[in-house]
Amino acid sequence: MSGEMDKPLISRRLVDSDGSLAETPSKAPKVGILGSGDFARSLATRLIGSGFSVVVGSRNPKRTAGLFPSSAQVTLREEAVSSPEVIFVAVFREHYSSLCDLSDQLAGKILVDVSNPTEQEHLQHRESNAEYLASLFPTCTVVKAFNVISAWTLQAGPRDGNRQVPICSDQPEAKRTVSEMVHAMGFMPVDMGSLASAREVEAMPLRLLPGWKVPTLLALGLFVCFYAYNFIRDVLHPYVQHGKNKFYKLPVSVVNTTLPCVAYVLLSLVYLPGVLAATLQLRRGTKYRRFPDWLDHWLQHRKQIGLLSFYCAALHAVYSFCLPLLRSSRYELVNLAVDQVANKSHLWVEEEVWRMEIYVSLGVLALGTLSLLAVTSLPSIANSLNWREFSFVQSTLGFVALVLTTLHTLTYGWTRAFEENRYKFYLPPTFTLTLLVPCVVILAKALFLLPCFSRRLAKIRRGWEKDGAIKFVLPTDHILVEKTSHV
Ligand SMILES: Cc1cc2nc3c(=O)[nH]c(=O)nc-3n(C[C@H](O)[C@H](O)[C@H](O)COP(=O)(O)OP(=O)(O)OC[C@H]3O[C@@H](n4cnc5c(N)ncnc54)[C@H](O)[C@@H]3O)c2cc1C
Ligand SMILES: NC(=O)C1=CN([C@@H]2O[C@H](COP(=O)(O)OP(=O)(O)OC[C@H]3O[C@@H](n4cnc5c(N)ncnc54)[C@H](OP(=O)(O)O)[C@@H]3O)[C@@H](O)[C@H]2O)C=CC1
Ligand code: HEM
Ligand SMILES: [Cu+2]
Ligand SMILES: [Fe+3]
């Protein structure tokens, strides 16, 4: 623990309440830590690096002292808590009660609860760890902070990973003191209100990409269905009907027929809810009524569905570039050449050449357009665009990508939908199935461009209502209002 870590991040300075940097008194403020585990060690190192002086309270200071930076004072718990005003409690919830012996010395001080419950603990206790700590020490002020920062991030400094530290407490003054410390350590304090929010703050590290669950399951479901369908058509059918072994197609060929279908269907599912919402608004003649829950949810998950579509499309492009490299395709090419030499024929089907040149070009253009959408969905880029620019890329260019993909698929499919020998076990070629939803979306969008519809829709979206005067009806369910999507 040398070098970088010893250098103060914001040396001997503290952040003033108004956010400006102010000189601290020449004596470094003293901070206490109870516990000598992984978190306590990282915290002590970071605090010292940020210009604080640290005193650690351990049940066994002799054993643990060697693990801390030399400038940290490691001592018995009773001794450690006597002078600092702010004391971090870096022990697990089940050991909080062991601190009760110290309650006299702790009276009037600020206790910072950094603990994280396990998922099971979180479900088991209705009361958050911080509130439990507050109930054990009624004479102290408890502040919840730092639980979302891992010991590792504390060690490595705030350059990588999450910089935000949610803070809550019932005492604004204590919250401000801890916020200033968070700031001085190079992190961003985020005020989460009173200690009643502690349960929510403690749930944060338990989350694993919640907005992605349904879209990911949807993509996986589509993948499995299309893969099975393509397997039956491209592998099982030749095997059963003609005794041909085409199992070599499983890793690349079948995957590369499946991925683009998933990408295409997902892309159309990004634009379908907007069409459904517009249809509902047209039918109801007002925008002041909530959409049904399923539609609302769907509208809110479009970003994730779109990014998954982009991911599958990008994989499809890479797989497609690899096709000529495959041994199977080289053998087929050589066999074809041998056949031609034997028959002295010259193979150049003009229509096939044009078809492929066009569909590959359209595919590349579609992927290029989708990349723009993906890039603008990065928060740093989205923040630099105004609302109109963002909606132009997301709504207009996204729709252009859907049209380009449809043309790509149509030129790829060409007349195959009408050739009888393309129907394996009476199953139509895969691309015909994927065209259904996108074509509905494109037709509906075209329909909404007709003056009669577009004018009415524009009026409705400006607040006009079918029944005459503009009415502003507050939804009965106030809590849900903020989460409601508006199209
Ligand atoms: C790769 C990729 C990345 C994506 N990233 C994001 C992302 O970062 N964030 C995100 O939200 N979505 C993202 N999406 C999803 C999608 O692009 C957006 O949700 C997009 O805005 C949907 O467009 P839409 O036209 O269907 O719907 P909307 O833009 O919701 O509009 C629906 C219709 O209503 C019209 N309309 C909307 N508001 C008004 C109004 N006030 N007055 C008049 N008419 C109106 C529009 O012109 C449109 O015809 C992404 C998609 C993809 C493929
Ligand atoms: N590790 C991490 O990345 C993060 C940890 N946290 C939280 O920090 C707290 C500490 O975690 P961590 O440092 O990883 O855990 P450790 O197990 O490494 O350390 C816990 C400390 O608690 C003390 N302790 C252990 N048993 C008892 C006991 N029976 N009675 C009293 N004190 C005891 C010990 O200190 P001593 O022997 O000196 O008394 C020990 O060093 C937890 O609440 C955790 O949720 C929060 C965010 C991230
Ligand atoms: C660099 C970009 C792209 C290239 C080079 C490309 C190339 C190809 C190729 C070679 C095929 C034929 C695959 C086969 O022989 O089985 C194909 C089919 C297809 N592609 Fe693309 N593509 C691109 C982008 C896209 C994008 C962005 C989408 C959709 C979002 C897409 C959707 C499809 C679909 C649906 C099919 C038909 C699959 C089938 O039913 O067999 N492609 N593409
Ligand atoms: Cu959902
Ligand atoms: Fe959700």
Side-chain angles (χ1 to χ4, degrees):
M1 233 149 285
S2 61
E4 281 261 41
M5 290 298 293
D6 295 336
K7 272 189 272 161
L9 264 180
I10 304 180
S11 61
R12 318 192 105 265
R13 286 170 141 223
L14 261 186
V15 180
D16 231 5
S17 54
D18 60 0
S20 62
L21 289 171
E23 285 295 334
T24 48
S26 55
K27 210 168 144 293
K30 202 168 203 172
V31 181
I33 300 176
L34 285 170
S36 60
D38 300 329
F39 195 80
R41 272 202 302 282
S42 304
L43 185 65
T45 316
R46 182 84 268 151
L47 280 168
I48 290 169
S50 310
F52 295 91
S53 90
V54 171
V55 48
V56 179
S58 169
R59 290 168 306 165
N60 193 346
K62 284 219 179 67
R63 197 188 60 186
T64 47
L67 302 169
F68 283 83
S70 52
S71 51
Q73 184 194 343
V74 184
T75 171
L76 282 170
R77 307 200 292 193
E78 299 74 35
E79 223 171 293
V81 297
S82 59
S83 65
E85 271 315 296
V86 179
I87 294 156
F88 286 84
V89 180
V91 300
F92 286 98
R93 177 190 176 122
E94 62 260 37
H95 303 139
Y96 284 179
S97 52
S98 78
L99 304 173
C100 285
D101 307 343
L102 308 170
S103 50
D104 287 343
Q105 285 123 294
L106 289 174
K109 306 204 169 190
I110 299 174
L111 295 183
V112 185
D113 182 310
V114 301
S115 67
N116 270 327
T118 59
E119 200 140 353
Q120 217 184 3
E121 283 172 333
H122 185 67
L123 293 176
Q124 193 183 335
H125 305 293
R126 289 200 53 86
E127 176 190 49
S128 66
N129 291 357
E131 287 165 303
Y132 170 61
L133 187 68
S135 71
L136 290 179
F137 299 94
T139 53
C140 298
T141 307
V142 172
V143 178
K144 180 87 210 178
F146 283 107
N147 64 307
V148 301
I149 304 290
S150 70
W152 167 251
T153 310
L154 267 180
Q155 282 254 358
R159 279 156 303 176
D160 307 332
N162 186 11
R163 276 166 44 85
Q164 292 189 341
V165 174
I167 295 186
C168 63
S169 170
D170 287 338
Q171 239 257 0
E173 195 54 36
K175 191 154 62 178
R176 201 171 65 90
T177 309
V178 177
S179 292
E180 283 168 8
M181 291 180 68
V182 171
H183 227 299
M185 289 160 81
F187 293 94
M188 283 288 297
V190 178
D191 191 339
M192 296 290 292
S194 70
L195 206 60
S197 314
R199 213 180 129 79
E200 190 190 331
V201 174
E202 285 172 12
M204 284 178 180
L206 297 175
R207 284 191 322 225
L208 183 71
L209 308 173
W212 286 85
K213 205 166 149 192
V214 175
T216 309
L217 286 177
L218 175 70
L220 282 176
L222 282 172
F223 186 90
V224 170
C225 293
F226 276 118
Y227 193 90
Y229 190 84
N230 291 325
F231 170 77
I232 294 171
R233 273 181 48 88
D234 295 350
V235 180
L236 204 61
H237 181 268
Y239 187 71
V240 172
Q241 295 287 36
H242 312 289
K244 279 193 198 151
N245 180 347
K246 300 262 181 178
F247 285 89
Y248 73 89
K249 288 191 169 187
L250 290 180
V252 177
S253 178
V254 178
V255 173
N256 195 35
T257 330
T258 304
L259 277 174
C261 295
V262 176
Y264 188 33
V265 172
L266 285 178
L267 188 61
S268 65
L269 292 183
V270 170
Y271 294 93
L272 182 60
V275 167
L276 294 178
T279 313
L280 261 184
Q281 289 179 336
L282 277 173
R283 267 192 47 190
R284 290 170 169 178
T286 175
K287 68 168 182 179
Y288 297 109
R289 265 172 62 195
R290 264 174 61 77
F291 294 130
D293 275 345
W294 58 267
L295 183 57
D296 204 52
H297 219 75
W298 193 351
L299 286 161
Q300 285 175 37
H301 286 70
R302 287 179 296 177
K303 173 174 179 169
Q304 288 83 347
I305 300 176
L307 286 171
L308 284 170
S309 161
F310 172 69
Y311 177 68
C312 293
L315 288 184
H316 158 60
V318 176
Y319 270 115
S320 296
F321 292 137
C322 292
L323 289 180
L325 299 175
L326 300 178
R327 187 105 346 229
S328 53
S329 96
R330 284 195 248 167
Y331 285 154
E332 271 174 14
L333 216 62
V334 171
N335 287 341
L336 205 66
V338 170
D339 268 3
Q340 280 169 39
V341 171
N343 300 334
K344 291 216 162 44
S345 66
H346 177 71
L347 187 72
W348 181 275
V349 183
E350 191 74 13
E351 184 184 298
E352 282 296 294
V353 171
W354 274 99
R355 185 177 68 86
M356 183 150 190
E357 309 279 314
I358 293 173
Y359 83 67
V360 168
S361 178
L362 286 167
V364 173
L365 288 175
L367 188 69
T369 315
L370 279 183
S371 321
L372 290 178
L373 270 76
V375 169
T376 46
S377 70
L378 297 172
S380 57
I381 305 214
N383 288 341
S384 72
L385 300 174
N386 68 29
W387 178 82
R388 238 188 117 175
E389 291 161 342
F390 185 76
S391 131
F392 170 73
V393 175
Q394 292 296 337
S395 189
T396 313
L397 288 188
F399 185 64
V400 168
L402 184 67
V403 173
L404 285 170
T405 308
T406 304
L407 296 175
H408 170 66
T409 311
L410 283 174
T411 39
Y412 163 74
W414 211 239
T415 55
R416 289 170 200 202
F418 311 108
E419 293 165 11
E420 209 177 321
N421 62 350
R422 300 277 173 188
Y423 286 69
K424 312 283 160 85
F425 292 136
Y426 301 104
L427 298 175
T430 322
F431 75 92
T432 53
L433 303 185
T434 62
L435 281 165
L436 187 72
V437 186
C439 286
V440 168
V441 172
I442 292 173
L443 285 180
K445 283 249 186 195
L447 209 64
F448 291 152
L449 282 180
L450 293 179
C452 54
F453 289 117
S454 67
R455 268 197 226 124
R456 191 175 155 94
L457 205 53
K459 267 200 312 196
I460 290 173
R461 282 175 177 160
R462 249 180 276 125
W464 174 87
E465 287 195 284
K466 189 165 64 179
D467 315 328
I470 297 175
K471 274 186 301 198
F472 291 93
V473 188
L474 268 182
T476 43
D477 200 344
H478 287 259
I479 305 149
L480 285 168
V481 177
E482 259 180 61
K483 291 194 82 183
T484 308
S485 317
H486 298 280
V487 181

